[in-house]
Amino acid sequence: MRYYLDTNVVYNIKRIPDEKLTSSLISILTLIELVSGIQDPKSYQRRKSIVSQIFVRKMIIDWGMPEEIIFDSFDIFEDYEFKDDRRQWLMNLLIALKDSENYVEYCASAAYVNVYGHAYFKAIDDEMNMMFVLRSMMGNAFIKDSLNANPESNSMTVDGVKYKLNTLKELKAFFDRFPERNHAVTINALAAMMAKKVPEKVFPVEDIFETYNGLINPYVSAMSQYSIIKVCNHDLPAKNDFSDLTHLLYFKDFGGRKLVSDDRIFKMLLGDNVISFAEFLA
C-alpha cells in the first residue's frame, strides 16, 4: 500500500514513524504550498523544519507539475515533451530556505527575491484558488441561464431513453445515474486547457479528448462530483478547495493507493480510498 499525504498531514511529519514514511509520498504541490505560506519568522521556523524533515528523512516526492500530469493524460501529445523549468526554480528556493539561519536572511537570498522566487510561487498558489472560484461563479451562472433559456430543449438521450434536464435537480439525478457523462465534461475542459500548451501545432479539442488515457481517473471523478454538487446547491467553493482537489492528480489511477487526510471533502468524494491521520498512525 502506498499513502499520499495531504499538506495538513505533512505539517505533523515529526509524529510520523520512519516505517510509515517509507510507504508514503508527497508532491511538488505540497512543497509549493509549504514555501508559499512563509510570511513571518514564526511560519518560517515551522515550515523550514517541515521541509528539512522531508529531505532528511528522504520522503518520496512526485516532482511532476499539475499541468504536466494532465498533459500525460492525453496520448495525442506523446511526440511532444512538456517543458517546465519550475522544478529547478522551486529547488533553488528550498535550498535557500534550508541554508538560511533566519527569516531575514532567507528573504534576502537570491532565490527568494528572484523573479521566479517566493512571490512567483505564492502567486501560483493564490491564483489557482482565485481562478477556480471565479470559474465556478461563471459556470453556475451559465448552467442556470441555460436551464432558464429554453426548458423544452434541455434533454439528453441515452440508449434510446430521453431524460429531461429542465431543473438542477434533474441535472444532478442524470449525472448521478450516468457519471461517465459528467466525467466527459471534466475531461473536455482539461482537453481545452491542454490545447493551449503546444503553441507550435493546433490540436482540436475533440481530438485531444478522444485520446484521454485514464491516468487521472480519480481526479476526474472527484472533480466531476464536486462541480455538480456545487452547481446544484447554488454553492461556491471554499478558498482552498481547488488546491485540495489538485492533489488528487498525484493519486493517479493506481491501485493500492490511499489518501491520508482529515478533510471531509476527500471522504465525501473518495470514500474508502481515504483514511484519517489517526488511522494512518495506528
Side-chain angles (χ1 to χ4, degrees):
M1 181 67 65
R2 179 74 71 186
Y3 299 95
Y4 182 88
L5 311 184
D6 85 352
T7 306
N8 287 326
V9 169
V10 178
Y11 288 148
N12 295 289
I13 189 171
K14 289 184 179 179
R15 295 175 54 194
I16 304 176
D18 288 340
E19 60 269 22
K20 293 288 185 178
L21 284 187
T22 58
S23 59
S24 305
L25 76 152
I26 59 171
S27 68
I28 192 173
L29 185 59
T30 311
L31 296 171
I32 291 174
E33 290 176 345
L34 286 169
V35 298
S36 67
I38 297 176
Q39 308 175 53
D40 51 40
K42 184 177 180 180
S43 57
Y44 163 83
Q45 289 292 348
R46 185 187 183 198
R47 290 167 187 251
K48 176 183 177 177
S49 175
I50 294 168
V51 169
S52 296
Q53 285 279 315
I54 288 171
F55 287 102
V56 167
R57 300 178 70 182
K58 299 180 180 179
M59 278 206 71
I60 299 171
I61 302 170
D62 187 328
W63 288 98
M65 290 294 289
E67 297 93 331
E68 183 178 359
I69 296 172
I70 297 172
F71 190 86
D72 290 340
S73 301
F74 296 96
D75 290 337
I76 198 170
F77 300 124
E78 62 184 11
D79 293 331
Y80 295 85
E81 181 183 358
F82 187 92
K83 297 179 180 178
D84 197 323
D85 297 323
R86 290 177 291 180
R87 281 189 287 266
Q88 187 57 55
W89 300 336
L90 179 63
M91 184 56 71
N92 293 341
L93 197 57
L94 292 168
I95 291 171
L97 176 63
K98 180 179 69 71
D99 292 344
S100 60
E101 295 293 333
N102 52 58
Y103 179 62
V104 173
E105 182 180 321
Y106 172 58
C107 292
S109 67
Y112 185 97
V113 300
N114 191 283
V115 65
Y116 299 115
H118 176 83
Y120 177 82
F121 285 102
K122 187 176 188 310
I124 289 177
D125 197 21
D126 292 344
E127 185 178 0
M128 280 198 303
N129 289 303
M130 180 183 70
M131 291 305 295
F132 185 54
V133 173
L134 179 61
R135 284 195 297 267
S136 296
M137 291 173 64
M138 295 171 65
N140 286 1
F142 174 77
I143 289 176
K144 284 186 282 188
D145 289 346
S146 297
L147 290 175
N148 293 331
N150 188 7
E152 294 304 316
S153 66
N154 294 319
S155 65
M156 185 76 70
T157 300
V158 180
D159 295 331
V161 180
K162 186 175 182 179
Y163 296 87
K164 292 183 179 180
L165 305 176
N166 296 332
T167 66
L168 291 173
K169 183 177 180 181
E170 289 176 341
L171 185 67
K172 184 175 186 306
F174 176 80
F175 280 138
D176 285 346
R177 183 166 185 172
F178 302 104
E180 68 280 2
R181 300 299 177 109
N182 196 10
H183 296 173
V185 174
T186 300
I187 295 167
N188 192 69
L190 295 173
M193 183 172 70
M194 288 297 104
K196 302 174 183 178
K197 294 295 181 180
V198 186
E200 65 268 24
K201 181 176 179 180
V202 176
F203 286 97
V205 172
E206 57 270 24
D207 290 352
I208 301 173
F209 174 89
E210 291 297 331
T211 67
Y212 175 69
N213 58 31
L215 175 65
I216 53 173
N217 279 344
Y219 171 82
V220 167
S221 176
M223 183 63 79
S224 301
Q225 292 179 66
Y226 175 88
S227 297
I228 200 64
I229 288 171
K230 288 295 181 181
V231 167
C232 291
N233 290 332
H234 303 280
D235 198 8
L236 288 176
K239 179 178 180 294
N240 293 322
D241 280 0
F242 186 61
S243 287
D244 290 343
L245 289 168
T246 302
H247 280 281
L248 298 184
L249 288 171
Y250 300 93
F251 203 53
K252 300 180 182 175
D253 195 30
F254 299 154
R257 283 195 174 186
K258 286 188 180 291
L259 177 68
V260 182
S261 176
D262 290 325
D263 196 324
R264 286 180 295 177
I265 188 175
F266 289 131
K267 193 64 178 177
M268 175 184 72
L269 297 173
L270 295 179
D272 292 340
N273 288 319
V274 182
I275 62 171
S276 69
F277 184 47
E279 290 173 316
F280 174 63
L281 293 179

